[in-house]
Amino acid sequence: MTLSAQDATEQRQKKHVRDRWMLSAPALLLILAASVGPLLIVLVYSFLAPGNYGDVKWEFSTEGWFNVLFTRDIFDDTVSLADAHFSIFWRSVKLAFATTVFCLIFGFPTAYFIATRAPHNRSLWLFLITIPFWTNMLIRTFAIQEVIRSEGIINTLLLKIGIISAPIQMMFTDFAIMLGMTYVFLPLMVLPLYASLEKLDFRLIEAGYDLYASRFGVLWRIIIPLVKPGIIAGSILVFVPALSSYVVPRVLGGGKNLMVGNLIELQFGQGRNWPLGAALSVTLVIIVLFAMLYYVRNASKSGGSAHG
Amino acid sequence: MAKSFSIKRQPGFATIAMFCFFLLYLPIATLVVYAFNSGMSIATWEGFSLRWFQSAWNNQQVIEASWRSLRIASIAALIATACATLAAIATTRTAPYRGLTFKYSVINMPLLVPEIVTAVALLILFSRVKVWTGYSGLGYLIVAHAAFCIPFAYMPIRARLESMDLSLERAASDLYASPFQTFRYVTLPLLWPGILAGMMLAFVISLDDVVITEFVKSGGQDTLPTYMLGQLRRVVTPEMNAISTAFLVLSLAIVTLFFFLSRNPNKDNQ
């Protein structure tokens, strides 16, 4: 190849890359301006002083971060741990974890059921899973409310049969939030589980039975280890939005059973403490980030072991 | 050995799966059924009636919020799809180059950041911009929706591009078509179903959004979901069931269309 031909190839490659940057620029700019960029502003705001009527004063302060962990008594300035924040974070983690476990308990058999149907039937079953998923989340939350409220179908039914004499209070409890989140996020568990179950090599299971494994033995020692990446992916997909859930706890949990999302909103609304709200948001992002990191590390690990 | 020993069977799994499907549809079905109830109560059936649909139709706030929702969703979906299409072309079927991973991560970022955090971040940003510019129209909502819809529009377009046969485009350029002609007469027609699917997905996602809209909207800019969220605090009448049912039917129609468009991209190439 002559020198000038080499130059020409290089030129063409450079142009190719430049064109590709031009093409992707609108998407990148829009996302940076209206999604990723504002996160940096949140980070900055967490280090400013609260303004009198919401917003902030432009002076450096660690008060926001201090308030995440501690509260200062209005009267005597004594400092104590911010129990309310801890209990809300703890409740969020607990509920998100319980939701993930319930989604797994119900979602795994469902995904397995779909994956073991005849190939031409699978897409129909998958479609049935995706329909509720694409139904507005607010509508689904509202639907759950219809089922569990005092005048809802469960209570009406139980009252009519005579099992209970007074309606059971299910709304505005942690149970209601968990039930609602399980209902809303279940498809997020089923879809990745299905994706890995579909690829399951049933010859390995046959080999297991040939070696006198029981049904449970095959499930526990062959199927579950093989679809571990799917289990982890589904768990993260459920855990992360459940942890930062806002609509479900607001509708089903009422004013008392807050989760982190509602706590953040409170600081930007009635609380008028934007730096605290910003610091809480950053804390939430950090927790989510750790969950993701855990996922990436484990996914790569189990990917390696599945190979061997 | 049992007569019908199947290695694929796991005891109880089918039962749980059926139970799951039943539970997924029970609340939605109840919601829809009671939208046609003639009585005030949501619990007792008092006969078939369309009165709640009529009352929703005559509710000025509902109609306004619906129009606003549709307007925002269509403009945001158009912007998101245009950006996503260009980005998908720029990130598929190319040798790896510096910045490719960066592009992937930026495009997928809106999926990773908790929605509530994006919402307060935009609240902070836009409340500043409002003060500077004095503008308080629907533009903020459209920009916000377009941004978080991009990854959803990007997915089906990228999938379509990756499964597309390169030889047709090569043939076109062998026949002296300019890059633009190749794109216009070969790539785009093949890509069209993917673009449509992406646009529908973006449209539904934008239509469904509650959290970001709730924080970004100015006064009097309720969309249907934020209107419903506000109503849920008060005494709920079956009018809400009627609104939900209508909303549901619209989403389902779009998603069904999406399902058929994005199925088996190679089939219609042959």
Side-chain angles (χ1 to χ4, degrees), chain B:
Chain B
M1 202 164 152
K3 222 189 285 171
S4 60
F5 186 89
S6 158
I7 56 159
K8 291 189 172 181
R9 226 183 74 82
Q10 280 292 333
F13 272 28
T15 322
I16 298 177
M18 286 304 124
F19 182 64
C20 231
F21 281 108
F22 175 72
L23 284 189
L24 275 180
Y25 283 92
L26 174 76
I28 302 179
T30 318
L31 187 86
V32 172
V33 167
Y34 277 96
F36 295 98
N37 188 9
S38 65
M40 264 300 283
S41 152
I42 301 181
T44 44
W45 180 257
E46 290 173 32
F48 180 88
S49 144
L50 290 175
R51 66 178 273 218
W52 297 113
F53 285 92
Q54 203 178 7
S55 103
W57 187 253
N58 290 324
N59 186 334
Q60 199 56 39
Q61 276 178 301
V62 172
I63 298 298
E64 265 175 31
S66 308
W67 268 122
R68 198 172 291 119
S69 279
L70 290 175
R71 229 164 54 216
I72 294 169
S74 5
I75 303 175
L78 272 177
I79 298 174
T81 314
C83 292
T85 308
L86 296 178
I89 292 170
T91 51
T92 47
R93 303 187 302 172
T94 165
Y97 57 90
R98 255 163 74 101
L100 191 59
T101 351
F102 168 77
K103 287 180 186 174
Y104 281 138
S105 25
V106 171
I107 290 169
N108 288 316
M109 199 64 114
L111 301 176
L112 303 181
V113 182
E115 218 184 346
I116 182 75
V117 176
T118 308
V120 298
L122 287 172
L123 170 75
I124 295 175
L125 174 69
F126 288 154
S127 67
R128 290 256 143 207
V129 178
K130 261 178 215 173
V131 173
W132 286 335
T133 60
Y135 171 74
S136 60
L138 289 181
Y140 301 109
L141 282 173
I142 292 170
V143 168
H145 280 219
F148 72 70
C149 285
I150 288 178
F152 293 97
Y154 176 79
M155 283 187 290
I157 300 173
R158 189 187 150 188
R160 179 99 194 168
L161 268 172
E162 278 178 342
S163 66
M164 249 164 60
D165 196 354
L166 260 177
S167 54
L168 288 169
E169 283 160 295
R170 287 220 188 89
S173 49
D174 280 351
L175 295 165
Y176 298 103
S178 69
F180 178 75
Q181 283 173 320
T182 312
F183 178 75
R184 170 71 185 79
Y185 295 105
V186 181
T187 316
L188 198 59
L190 289 174
L191 189 55
W192 205 231
I195 295 178
L196 267 182
M199 190 144 54
M200 284 177 203
L201 214 51
F203 184 80
V204 173
I205 294 287
S206 162
L207 208 60
D208 280 359
D209 179 73
V210 199
V211 182
I212 289 174
T213 313
E214 175 81 1
F215 283 79
V216 169
K217 74 182 166 78
S218 312
Q221 287 185 346
D222 266 319
T223 59
L224 198 53
T226 63
Y227 169 79
M228 290 171 68
L229 185 66
Q231 290 299 303
L232 285 182
R233 282 186 168 166
R234 304 187 191 130
V235 181
V236 182
T237 65
E239 192 185 291
M240 284 291 282
N241 296 48
I243 300 170
S244 303
T245 304
F247 200 160
L248 207 114
V249 170
L250 176 68
S251 305
L252 283 196
I254 298 169
V255 172
T256 312
L257 219 61
F258 166 80
F259 182 72
F260 285 111
L261 269 178
S262 58
R263 214 165 64 160
N264 231 345
N266 287 320
K267 226 176 195 170
D268 41 336
N269 280 354
Q270 290 160 4

Side-chain angles (χ1 to χ4, degrees), chain A residues 16-17 19-21 23-24 26-28 30-36 38-39 41-42 45 55-56 58 105-110 112-117 122-125 127-132 134-140 142-147 149 151-153 156 160 183 186-187 202-203 205-206 209 215-216 218-219 223 240 244 246-247 250-251 261 264-265 268 274 278 281 284-285 288 292, chain B residues 5-11 13-14 16-21 23-28 30-31 34 42-44 79 83-84 86-87 89-92 94-95 97-99 102-103 106-107 109-110 112-118 120-128 143-144 146-147 150-152 201 204-205 207-208 210-211 214-215 225 228-229 232-233 236 240-241 244 247-248 251-252 255-256 259 263:
Chain A
H16 176 84
V17 171
D19 285 352
R20 259 135 192 81
W21 275 104
L23 286 173
S24 41
L28 298 180
L30 194 52
I31 291 175
L32 287 175
S35 181
V36 181
L39 284 183
I41 305 181
V42 172
Y45 264 51
D55 213 333
V56 288
W58 282 91
I105 291 173
F106 287 109
F108 189 87
T110 309
Y112 188 87
F113 172 83
I114 301 175
T116 51
R117 292 308 94 188
R122 283 180 210 164
S123 60
L124 179 70
W125 287 109
F127 187 47
L128 284 178
I129 281 286
T130 27
I131 285 179
W134 290 117
T135 305
N136 188 317
M137 195 174 87
L138 189 65
I139 294 180
R140 283 183 288 159
F142 176 49
I144 280 283
Q145 182 187 324
E146 298 271 85
V147 173
R149 48 190 249 154
E151 308 87 48
I153 15 174
T156 313
K160 263 189 194 143
Y183 179 63
L186 185 65
F202 280 96
R203 286 173 308 181
I205 291 163
E206 203 172 358
Y209 285 124
R215 292 259 185 219
F216 183 76
V218 164
L219 176 68
I223 301 177
V240 167
S244 38
Y246 166 79
V247 171
R250 176 164 158 183
V251 175
I264 291 172
E265 193 231 340
F268 282 92
W274 288 26
S281 305
L284 180 61
V285 172
V288 167
M292 296 282 186
Chain B
F5 186 89
S6 158
I7 56 159
K8 291 189 172 181
R9 226 183 74 82
Q10 280 292 333
F13 272 28
I16 298 177
M18 286 304 124
F19 182 64
C20 231
F21 281 108
L23 284 189
L24 275 180
Y25 283 92
L26 174 76
I28 302 179
T30 318
L31 187 86
Y34 277 96
I42 301 181
T44 44
I79 298 174
C83 292
L86 296 178
I89 292 170
T91 51
T92 47
T94 165
Y97 57 90
R98 255 163 74 101
F102 168 77
K103 287 180 186 174
V106 171
I107 290 169
M109 199 64 114
L112 303 181
V113 182
E115 218 184 346
I116 182 75
V117 176
T118 308
V120 298
L122 287 172
L123 170 75
I124 295 175
L125 174 69
F126 288 154
S127 67
R128 290 256 143 207
V143 168
I150 288 178
F152 293 97
L201 214 51
V204 173
I205 294 287
L207 208 60
D208 280 359
V210 199
V211 182
E214 175 81 1
F215 283 79
M228 290 171 68
L229 185 66
L232 285 182
R233 282 186 168 166
V236 182
M240 284 291 282
N241 296 48
S244 303
F247 200 160
L248 207 114
S251 305
L252 283 196
V255 172
T256 312
F259 182 72
R263 214 165 64 160

Side-chain angles (χ1 to χ4, degrees), chain A residues 90-101 178 181 235 238-244 259:
Chain A
W90 178 232
R91 167 186 293 128
S92 306
V93 171
K94 231 169 34 187
L95 287 177
F97 186 73
T99 301
T100 312
V101 170
M178 201 193 63
M181 292 202 300
S235 304
V238 171
F239 184 79
V240 167
L243 182 71
S244 38
M259 284 180 66

